[in-house]
Amino acid sequence: MHPTTPAQPFDGSHDREIESLAEFDEVVRDFGTLHHFRVQSVDLTDRTDVLLSLDTSAALFLGCPMTPDAAAKARASGALVFPPVPGLSFDPYRGFVYTPDELFAGLDEGYEATPDARTYAWFQRTRSDGDIFGSMLRSIHDDAVSDALDELLAGARVVGVMGGHAMERGTDAYAGAARLGRELARDGLTVATGGGPGAMEAANLGAYAAPFDAAMLTDALRLLAKAPTFTPSVTDWARAAFEVRATWPDGGPSVGIPTWFYGHEPPNPFAAHLAKYFSNATREDGLLARCNAGVVFLPGAAGTVQEIFDNATPNYYESRGEPTPMVLVDREHWTERLPAWPLLRSLARERSMESRIALVDRIEEAPAALKRLAG
């Protein structure tokens, strides 16, 4: 999460972002100035006296509610003030990634009432009418989410688990993906997925189950199987997941990076942190770029194939530094059904990435393969 230590005055090297009221109060107390600070989506309506008395020159206020007097004074002193945008189901200036509770608020009334569903509906409207204001808000939002994700994952060893959304709860494949996520999390890695259903949900579930005994995951899989997929009812699918969370609270953390571009795919509630984007291109590149401990590719279709080669390209050119491990799971799938492995192996030949790719038959082999490739 964002550092809780006081922010520092701007000198080109210190953190200048204020993303909570507690941080705002710490800066005011410790430094007595807001000069050059960036205040992001913090409700300042109860801090009018402070804003009127402090130096706010060269400050930036992004989506911070404040009184008209405080806003006028800040602007007059040379601050940039971007006011909140009314009527939105999302905050384009948000300082943190989402939580499942935030995106699924109102689920008791049905999924259509949640901020997640309402934001997708807004996206559909603004994308179709070509309004530049809507596209600007989407871009600002996605940049804010990327910034929050960088802060969240600073110093973490992140391993990606990619796979298709069609994998159903109650299947052996789903259980295997959950056990994979659990083992990776217990190895001290931060599990990151595309944040959606299927294989992605299973891996996030496994990370959630990491602090519990083996019986918890067995029982959780049984509970989830009563709603195998998110069709025909996202509501029933999501409620089953929240039932698991309520039965076993305080599970292990993991990250999901979904997108409203694929609006038919809801985010899964087992990722503690959900960095949801409007732009799928930004989401895909950002997800893979942050997997510094490697990626496991479970059987999937077009989306997973795309992710394999999106990941292979910077490994091939070493544009992000040394190649990171890539483990493909299910030999038959990746050599016969969708023969991505032969092409990946040909690309890797006589390059540094050759020693960083592996194909395994069973999902249980993936953690050991990751460790071996990491050296």
Side-chain angles (χ1 to χ4, degrees), residues 199-223:
M200 297 171 280
E201 181 191 53
N204 288 128
L205 167 64
Y208 186 90
F212 301 99
D213 60 21
M216 176 270 173
L217 183 56
T218 300
D219 293 341
L221 291 168
R222 188 179 303 115
L223 279 174

Side-chain angles (χ1 to χ4, degrees), residues 44-374:
L44 299 175
T45 51
D46 291 334
R47 298 296 186 272
T48 299
D49 290 345
V50 173
L51 292 169
L52 292 177
S53 63
L54 289 189
D55 178 11
T56 55
S57 61
L60 174 65
F61 296 91
L62 292 170
C64 298
M66 61 179 75
T67 63
D69 286 349
K73 185 267 181 185
R75 290 191 181 97
S77 71
L80 287 176
V81 180
F82 291 78
V85 182
L88 292 179
S89 55
F90 65 97
D91 178 3
Y93 304 113
R94 61 182 304 111
F96 304 96
V97 298
Y98 294 94
T99 66
D101 289 336
E102 184 179 2
L103 287 177
F104 284 100
L107 184 63
D108 288 346
E109 302 174 31
Y111 173 68
E112 293 73 17
T114 66
D116 187 65
R118 290 188 289 115
T119 299
Y120 174 62
W122 175 89
F123 179 34
Q124 290 293 88
R125 290 194 304 272
T126 59
R127 182 170 60 171
S128 62
D129 65 21
D131 183 5
I132 192 171
F133 184 54
S135 62
M136 180 190 73
L137 292 175
R138 294 195 298 270
S139 296
I140 292 171
H141 169 275
D142 285 2
D143 188 69
V145 167
S146 290
D147 180 66
L149 189 58
D150 285 339
E151 293 170 356
L152 175 74
L153 296 177
R157 295 173 60 229
V158 182
V159 60
V161 179
M162 310 296 156
H165 68 265
M167 185 184 288
E168 293 190 5
R169 296 168 172 174
T171 63
D172 290 342
Y174 185 96
R179 289 191 293 270
L180 171 66
R182 182 178 62 182
E183 183 170 349
L184 294 173
R186 287 177 173 176
D187 284 342
L189 298 168
T190 297
V191 174
T193 76
M200 297 171 280
E201 181 191 53
N204 288 128
L205 167 64
Y208 186 90
F212 301 99
D213 60 21
M216 176 270 173
L217 183 56
T218 300
D219 293 341
L221 291 168
R222 188 179 303 115
L223 279 174
L224 292 171
K226 66 185 181 182
T229 72
F230 60 95
T231 56
S233 173
V234 175
T235 302
D236 292 345
W237 175 86
R239 282 176 177 165
F242 278 101
E243 181 181 351
V244 169
R245 286 176 31 136
T247 305
W248 295 277
D250 303 319
S254 64
V255 176
I257 306 180
T259 174
W260 281 292
F261 183 81
Y262 296 127
H264 63 285
E265 291 185 21
N268 78 75
F270 292 112
H273 311 289
L274 288 162
K276 192 156 190 178
Y277 288 87
F278 290 106
S279 168
N280 186 52
T282 303
R283 169 252 192 169
E284 287 281 11
D285 185 69
L287 169 57
L288 293 166
R290 290 174 173 87
C291 293
N292 53 20
V295 183
V296 177
F297 297 92
L298 303 178
T304 310
V305 172
Q306 175 185 339
E307 287 164 342
I308 289 173
F309 292 103
D310 280 348
N311 196 45
T313 300
N315 279 347
Y316 180 89
Y317 290 111
E318 299 188 40
S319 55
R320 295 178 185 145
E322 287 189 16
T324 52
M326 300 176 64
V327 178
L328 278 61
V329 176
D330 191 329
R331 187 176 303 274
E332 182 181 0
H333 185 86
W334 294 121
T335 61
E336 296 182 22
R337 294 194 196 101
L338 295 173
W341 172 252
L343 178 54
L344 179 64
R345 187 175 55 184
S346 295
L347 280 171
R349 189 171 295 123
E350 297 182 358
R351 302 188 76 89
S352 297
M353 67 179 288
E354 187 172 19
S355 62
R356 297 296 180 94
I357 65 171
L359 174 66
V360 298
D361 289 311
R362 298 179 299 108
I363 200 167
E364 292 79 9
E365 301 173 73
L370 266 179
K371 293 177 184 177
R372 184 177 70 252
L373 298 179

